[in-house]
Amino acid sequence: MLTEDHARTALAFLALSDREFAAGDKLQASEKLWGAAAHALMAIAMQNSRRLVRHNSFRDTAERLSDEHSDPSIEYGFAHAERFHRNFYHDDMTDYELNTLRPKVHDFVNRVVALLG
């Protein structure tokens, strides 16, 4: 995939996630939010001639971006995306968490995609 493909996939997954939440499928919606975050970071990594192959490399990339742009919301947004990834496997988020953290992951993905050249 190309950088632009990852960015488009990230934004498409955000839209899919919204539709799945609206349909009541919290698990698939959660995984799509994670996928959106992961693809946004893969786009940034590709732009910088890097590959993200391990989960920790996603976290490291989010932390680096947060530091480089003096924007702690990037690091926090990624942590929220990880929470949705966990939710896919454990279904342990409350409705309040789902509704409160979803917009933060959307913001994270949109911020990261906006950083692309």
Side-chain angles (χ1 to χ4, degrees), residues 4 14-15 17 36 45 53 55-56 59 71 76 80 90 104:
E4 298 81 18
L14 284 182
S17 173
V53 293
H55 188 87
N56 285 342
R59 185 178 305 115
D71 185 352
Y76 298 140
H80 298 317
H90 302 285
K104 295 176 190 228

Side-chain angles (χ1 to χ4, degrees), residues 68-88:
E68 286 175 4
H69 296 279
S70 299
D71 185 352
S73 71
I74 294 173
E75 188 174 349
Y76 298 140
F78 178 75
H80 298 317
E82 285 184 305
R83 185 72 179 89
F84 282 96
H85 186 49
R86 175 185 161 82
N87 191 61
F88 173 70

Side-chain angles (χ1 to χ4, degrees), residues 17-18 21 24-31 33 80 83-88 91-106:
S17 173
D18 287 343
F21 272 117
D25 192 343
K26 294 186 273 187
L27 297 183
Q28 283 300 314
S30 293
E31 189 65 351
L33 274 180
H80 298 317
R83 185 72 179 89
F84 282 96
H85 186 49
R86 175 185 161 82
N87 191 61
F88 173 70
D91 194 20
D92 60 353
M93 290 178 77
T94 66
D95 287 341
Y96 176 80
E97 290 173 306
L98 293 167
N99 293 325
T100 302
L101 299 180
R102 278 176 54 204
K104 295 176 190 228
V105 177
H106 274 260

Side-chain angles (χ1 to χ4, degrees), residues 8-18 29 31-36 39:
R8 275 193 294 276
T9 299
L11 298 175
F13 277 173
L14 284 182
L16 283 170
S17 173
D18 287 343
E31 189 65 351
K32 293 295 186 310
L33 274 180
W34 163 254
H39 277 278

